[in-house]
Structure formats: structure tokens, C-alpha cells
């Protein structure tokens, strides 16, 4: 009997050992996102229902179905609750500190840029305002699912600090222009400022430094060529306004040559260049842009509000030109999130070409994600949910009345969603927004700061508006 019990115990032990060897030990991850519709935005535009995304440190390491839950474990598990899991959105053109002036100059001023924008900036811009306004704008973007933005403005070191304090990603181009500005007391002083900024941030995790020459008509040929040489030397982007207005060739005194042809002729058009607006371009211009592999930041909402025109985005995409979406500055569209811009991007193109079948929702969402990454030459790092890419991910809830029904997640995003539907924002593997609450900065503190800025600006802004209207 004793031998029998001994043998049974041995057999039982061997059985348990055998079973345990069949049970695989789960691999550790940092964050698991489950139970959502994953819009990967990969080259096949793959959509995974009841999908799972695995994040380790700052990168995505696996994407698939619920079978992944048997392979990975993490201390942080996020239940998307049937929401939309998508790449963080990318705003490819902005002037973020202008958020301090949002809502001003709306009284029907004709030459708003030169009669109102520039004088307002000249009087009120300073380092402190730029930092605090950038904090405010970065909060706005984080809460609305924008994880990366591209910007052209002043005191870029202050903007970089603020962007990092909130925790989003920025491609920041120091403005270069032919007259003195807040951070450069001499014409073109922005070049030296940009070099110092690039040296400081060239290896940063969240900040990509850049040059931001304002426009071909406000930067000389020689300075444009100098910036191009420096851009090549430092391997950084150039962002510039081109084709925003229909008289730019006249401003440059060009004869029988477009602004794009001019830029090409002086050797400053290449794959490091992002052209903001690009409205007033012809077929030949588009062919040159394609040949030189330059990119476009399409700003449909700002362009409609400013009555500057409708860019040929549909044709650009058909030519395989890299096109991302932008809001322009918060005085142009009054927005820094991309939700309304998504709708405008589709609707304005359909209106322009009188064709409601074009610019379908999947195409528009692509522009806001991987398309923006391609435009900024960051598509190997961000813009899609794929293993090896940085974990810039947002979760859009689908439980609110405006999100129901949700037959097609792309259509829901483009024509139904708004910033209040963003539940979670993750940047570089760090949770920035959770349960619709910002985790990285004291919002009450920033609201107080912005109220102080508003009180300081209001009187001067009103007087300036009256003066600007009188010279219409």
C-alpha cells in the first residue's frame, strides 16, 4: 500500500511538472490597451475589431486581437470599452502662442495679417506670454488627441519647454523674417536664434527643431539659400508659408514665374521642406513639388475662414504628394484640435470639385495621422499603430450621444466626433490624458495665467481693431 501511494504521488508530481512546463510565462509590458477598434493606419489601412495594443516603455511592441492577452501582462491595463484606438493626430501647421489672441480681430478687418496680427504681436509678445500660451495650447491639443504639432513662431526655446511640460511632441521652427521681431532685434536675427535652438534640442525625445522662414516674400533669396544650407548641415526641416495669397508672385516681382518655380530655381525646394497652405498653385507647381519630394500642410478651416481659397488637396494626393492637416494659428481657425478640420478637409474638397464621392473619411483620417507623419518625415517613428513605432496613441470613446451609432469608425471621426470624445492620450509611452483628465499639468494654474494675459491685452486689442478697421 505504501509503495502504491508513493508511486501515485510520484506520478502526480510528474504530471504537475509537465503541465507547468506547458504554461508559458507571460512577457512583461508597460501598458496594454484592449477591447477597442484599432485603426492601425498601416500601409494596408488594417482595422482590428476587439483589438489589443501592447506598449513597452515608449514603443509599441505588438498589435493584434485578444489572443495577445495570453502572451503579455502589464500593471497598467486600459479597457477601451469599444472605443476607437488610433494613432495620435498630427497638426502639421500652427502658431500656437497666438492662442493668447484667439477671438481678436474678428470685426471684419480687411488686411488682418499686417494691420492687426503683426502690430498686436509687436506690442504684446514676450517670453513669458509665449511660454504660458504654449502651455495652454498644448493642453488643448493633448485633451483633443493631438500628440504631435508643427509650429513656426518666436522664442522656440520657451515653446519647447512648455511643450515638454505638458508632454506632447513638437516640430518647432524658429521664425526667420526680414524685419525685427520679439526675439530678434535685427532683420533675419532668427537664423542665429534657430541655430542655438537646434544645437540645444537636436537630440531631444519630444522636440524636433527646425527653421521657419516666414515666406518667400518676407525672406530674401540669399537668406533662403543660407537657411537651406543650414538645414542640410543640421538635417532639420524647413517650414514656410507658400501660396497662401494670390499675389505672392507680385510681392516678389516675379515675371512669368510662379512662387514654386522661383523657390525651385534658387535651390530651396526639397524633401526637408514643408509648404504651409499651398493654395494658389498650378499643375506645374504640383509637379515640381512632387519631383522635389516637398510636403504640404493643408489648412482647410483657416483658409475658409480667411477667404484665402481652397487648396488642391485632392489633386495633390492623387499625385502622391505628402499632405498633412493643419489648423494654422489660433487666430486663423480659432482651433488647435483637428476634429473640425477633418470635416472641413472632406467638405471643402467636395465643394471645390463638385464631387461628393471624393475625400472619403478614411483618406481624411490618414492625412491627420500617417499622412502628417509623412509630411514631417517622421513616418518611421509615428503616425501608425505598428510594432517598433513610438507609442503615440489616443482612445476615442463611442458612448456619448454624438458618437452613436458608430457604423464606420472613420466616418464617425470625421463627421461626428469632437474633442470631448477623447478619453486617453498617450505620447512616447506616457499617459498624458486619462478618463478625459490631463495628468501632466495643473489646468487651474494655467487658466489663471491665461485670464491675466486676457486682462492685459483686451484694451490695446480693442483700440488696435478700431484703427485697423479705419484703414480698410
Amino acid at each position: 500500500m505504501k509503495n502504491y501511494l508513493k508511486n501515485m504521488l510520484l506520478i502526480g508530481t510528474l504530471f504537475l511538472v509537465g503541465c507547468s512546463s506547458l504554461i508559458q510565462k507571460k512577457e512583461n509590458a508597460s501598458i496594454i490597451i484592449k477591447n477597442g477598434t484599432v485603426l492601425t493606419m498601416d500601409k494596408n489601412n488594417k482595422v482590428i475589431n476587439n483589438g489589443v495594443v501592447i506598449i513597452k516603455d515608449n514603443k509599441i511592441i505588438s498589435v493584434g486581437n485578444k489572443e495577445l492577452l495570453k502572451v503579455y501582462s502589464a500593471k497598467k491595463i486600459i479597457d477601451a470599452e469599444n472605443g476607437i484606438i488610433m494613432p495620435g493626430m498630427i497638426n502639421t501647421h500652427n502658431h500656437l502662442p497666438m492662442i493668447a489672441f484667439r477671438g481678436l480681430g474678428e470685426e471684419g478687418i480687411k488686411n488682418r495679417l499686417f494691420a492687426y496680427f503683426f502690430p498686436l504681436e509687436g506690442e504684446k509678445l514676450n517670453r513669458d506670454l509665449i511660454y504660458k500660451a504654449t502651455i495652454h495650447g498644448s493642453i488643448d491639443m493633448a485633451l483633443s488627441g493631438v500628440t504631435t504639432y508643427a509650429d513656426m513662431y518666436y522664442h522656440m526655446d520657451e515653446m519647447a519647454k512648455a511643450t515638454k511640460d505638458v508632454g506632447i511632441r513638437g516640430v518647432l521652427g524658429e521664425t526667420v523674417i526680414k524685419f525685427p521681431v520679439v526675439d530678434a532685434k535685427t532683420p533675419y536675427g532668427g537664423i542665429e536664434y534657430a541655430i542655438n535652438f537646434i544645437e540645444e534640442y537636436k537630440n531631444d525625445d519630444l522636440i524636433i527643431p527646425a527653421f521657419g522662414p516666414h515666406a518667400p516674400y518676407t525672406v530674401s533669396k540669399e537668406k533662403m539659400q543660407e537657411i537651406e544650407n543650414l538645414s542640410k548641415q543640421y538635417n532639420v526641416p524647413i517650414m514656410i508659408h507658400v501660396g497662401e495669397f494670390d499675389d505672392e508672385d507680385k510681392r516678389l516681382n516675379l515675371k512669368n514665374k510662379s512662387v514654386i518655380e522661383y523657390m525651385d530655381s534658387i535651390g530651396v525646394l526639397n524633401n526637408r521642406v514643408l509648404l504651409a497652405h499651398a493654395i494658389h498653385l498650378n499643375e506645374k507647381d504640383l509637379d515640381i513639388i512632387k519631383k522635389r519630394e516637398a510636403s504640404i500642410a493643408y489648412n482647410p478651416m483657416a483658409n475658409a475662414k480667411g477667404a484665402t481659397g481652397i487648396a488642391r488637396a485632392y489633386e495633390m494626393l492623387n499625385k502622391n504628394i505628402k499632405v498633412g492637416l493643419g489648423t494654422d494659428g489660433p487666430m486663423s481657425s480659432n482651433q488647435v484640435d483637428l476634429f473640425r478640420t477633418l470635416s472641413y478637409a472632406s467638405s471643402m474638397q467636395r465643394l471645390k470639385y463638385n464631387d461628393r464621392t471624393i475625400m472619403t473619411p478614411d483618406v481624411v483620417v490618414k492625412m491627420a495621422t500617417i499622412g502628417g507623419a509623412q509630411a514631417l518625415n517622421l513616418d518611421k517613428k509615428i503616425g501608425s499603430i505598428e510594432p517598433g513605432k513610438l507609442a503615440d496613441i489616443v482612445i476615442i470613446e463611442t458612448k456619448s450621444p454624438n458618437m452613436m451609432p458608430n457604423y464606420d469608425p472613420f466616418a464617425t471621426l470625421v463627421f461626428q466626433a469632437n474633442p470631448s470624445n477623447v478619453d486617453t492620450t498617450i505620447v512616447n509611452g506616457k499617459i498624458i490624458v486619462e478618463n478625459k483628465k490631463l495628468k501632466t499639468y495643473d489646468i487651474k494654474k494655467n487658466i489663471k495665467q491665461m485670464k491675466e494675459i486676457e486682462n492685459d491685452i483686451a484694451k490695446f486689442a480693442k483700440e488696435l481693431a478700431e484703427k485697423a478697421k479705419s484703414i480698410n
Side-chain angles (χ1 to χ4, degrees):
M1 187 66 177
K2 286 183 180 179
N3 289 337
Y4 174 77
L5 291 173
K6 223 185 247 188
N7 290 336
M8 290 301 292
L9 183 62
L10 179 61
I11 290 168
T13 302
L14 290 172
F15 177 77
L16 290 173
V17 170
C19 287
S20 64
S21 68
L22 295 173
I23 300 171
Q24 293 182 350
K25 185 179 179 182
K26 287 187 178 181
E27 184 176 336
N28 290 327
S30 303
I31 301 171
I32 294 175
I33 307 172
K34 66 176 185 176
N35 192 25
T37 301
V38 180
L39 309 184
T40 65
M41 306 313 298
D42 65 8
K43 63 181 181 180
N44 298 316
N45 207 20
K46 186 178 181 182
V47 177
I48 306 171
N49 294 313
N50 197 15
V52 174
V53 179
I54 311 295
I55 298 168
K56 188 168 186 178
D57 300 324
N58 69 336
K59 289 187 177 180
I60 300 162
I61 60 170
S62 192
V63 184
N65 59 31
K66 60 184 180 180
E67 291 299 311
L68 289 175
L69 299 176
K70 298 176 183 178
V71 180
Y72 295 94
S73 65
K75 289 183 178 179
K76 183 66 177 179
I77 298 177
I78 301 173
D79 187 345
E81 299 181 335
N82 297 313
I84 299 167
I85 305 167
M86 64 180 290
M89 285 185 276
I90 300 169
N91 185 337
T92 57
H93 184 59
N94 214 322
H95 310 289
L96 194 56
M98 280 187 178
I99 208 163
F101 311 131
R102 179 160 61 181
L104 293 175
E106 303 288 1
E107 302 91 336
I109 298 166
K110 189 173 182 180
N111 192 349
R112 197 162 174 247
L113 178 63
F114 287 93
Y116 194 81
F117 277 17
F118 286 162
L120 183 60
E121 288 179 333
E123 180 69 21
K124 291 298 180 180
L125 275 186
N126 56 61
R127 275 189 173 273
D128 185 59
L129 181 145
I130 286 171
Y131 174 81
K132 291 173 180 175
T134 303
I135 287 284
H136 190 71
S138 296
I139 290 171
D140 196 336
M141 285 191 285
L143 288 169
S144 61
V146 173
T147 55
T148 297
Y149 77 107
D151 203 284
M152 300 167 62
Y153 214 61
Y154 309 105
H155 284 308
M156 274 299 161
D157 49 341
E158 295 293 341
M159 289 193 66
K161 291 173 190 173
T163 302
K164 287 173 67 67
D165 284 348
V166 174
I168 64 173
R169 200 179 300 279
V171 182
L172 306 181
E174 173 66 27
T175 293
V176 179
I177 200 163
K178 66 181 180 181
F179 46 76
V181 289
V182 62
D183 62 357
K185 300 308 177 187
T186 59
Y188 302 116
I191 294 178
E192 183 180 355
Y193 201 117
I195 292 170
N196 293 332
F197 175 63
I198 291 164
E199 290 282 4
E200 183 178 359
Y201 282 94
K202 61 186 177 182
N203 296 314
D204 195 87
D205 285 344
L206 292 175
I207 304 300
I208 297 97
F211 288 97
H214 175 260
Y217 57 86
T218 53
V219 179
S220 71
K221 168 187 170 182
E222 292 75 21
K223 293 300 181 181
M224 285 289 296
Q225 291 171 327
E226 181 181 348
I227 290 167
E228 157 54 24
N229 289 332
L230 288 166
S231 166
K232 185 176 182 180
Q233 176 185 331
Y234 286 102
N235 191 28
V236 297
I238 295 173
M239 297 181 284
I240 184 169
H241 300 94
V242 173
E244 183 176 7
F245 306 109
D246 61 5
D247 65 346
E248 291 179 19
D249 55 341
K250 295 181 178 65
R251 298 184 192 191
L252 281 163
N253 294 316
L254 299 178
K255 295 181 179 179
N256 302 317
K257 184 183 289 186
S258 71
V259 177
I260 292 296
E261 288 177 288
Y262 162 75
M263 290 182 67
D264 193 41
S265 70
I266 65 173
V268 298
L269 200 61
N270 54 59
N271 65 355
R272 294 187 306 280
V273 176
L274 177 72
L275 307 170
H277 301 293
I279 302 166
H280 302 284
L281 306 184
N282 58 39
E283 188 80 15
K284 185 177 181 180
D285 292 332
L286 298 187
D287 289 338
I288 293 171
I289 291 168
K290 170 62 179 173
K291 182 179 179 181
R292 299 304 181 199
E293 300 182 331
S295 305
I296 306 290
Y298 173 42
N299 302 273
M301 189 175 177
N303 300 154
K305 181 170 177 274
T308 50
I310 306 173
R312 302 166 70 172
Y314 176 62
E315 293 173 69
M316 294 171 185
L317 291 172
N318 284 344
K319 287 179 178 288
N320 292 318
I321 293 172
K322 297 176 290 185
V323 184
L325 285 182
T327 56
D328 202 5
M331 287 186 76
S332 297
S333 69
N334 300 60
Q335 310 293 317
V336 294
D337 72 89
L338 285 177
F339 281 102
R340 273 200 273 176
T341 299
L342 291 172
S343 178
Y344 267 75
S346 177
S347 301
M348 297 304 289
Q349 291 300 299
R350 293 179 182 188
L351 183 64
K352 181 178 179 67
Y353 294 98
N354 192 29
D355 186 349
R356 73 168 317 279
T357 68
I358 66 172
M359 298 297 279
T360 52
D362 58 319
V363 172
V364 177
V365 173
K366 180 179 178 181
M367 282 196 289
T369 54
I370 189 64
Q374 290 166 345
L376 294 170
N377 292 318
L378 292 174
D379 50 302
K380 291 183 179 179
K381 295 182 177 181
I382 60 173
S384 61
I385 300 180
E386 299 181 79
K389 288 204 172 182
L390 296 173
D392 289 11
I393 296 171
V394 297
I395 302 172
I396 316 294
E397 54 88 3
T398 55
K399 297 180 292 184
S400 294
N402 68 298
M403 298 293 283
M404 301 172 69
N406 173 32
Y407 298 116
D408 174 358
F410 294 106
T412 300
L413 288 169
V414 173
F415 297 119
Q416 295 170 224
N418 62 55
S420 71
N421 300 123
V422 175
D423 180 86
T424 305
T425 302
I426 300 171
V427 183
N428 214 39
K430 181 179 179 181
I431 299 173
I432 305 299
V433 175
E434 186 173 25
N435 298 322
K436 303 187 179 184
K437 304 293 183 184
L438 185 75
K439 296 169 65 72
T440 54
Y441 199 89
D442 184 348
I443 291 183
K444 290 182 178 178
K445 175 183 176 181
N446 181 246
I447 289 172
K448 182 181 178 183
Q449 292 169 339
M450 291 304 293
K451 200 65 186 174
E452 291 169 353
I453 289 171
E454 182 182 340
N455 291 337
D456 176 65
I457 289 171
K459 183 181 177 182
F460 175 79
K462 184 177 180 180
E463 293 171 353
L464 180 62
E466 291 301 317
K467 182 180 178 182
K469 282 172 67 178
S470 69
I471 58 174
N472 272 359

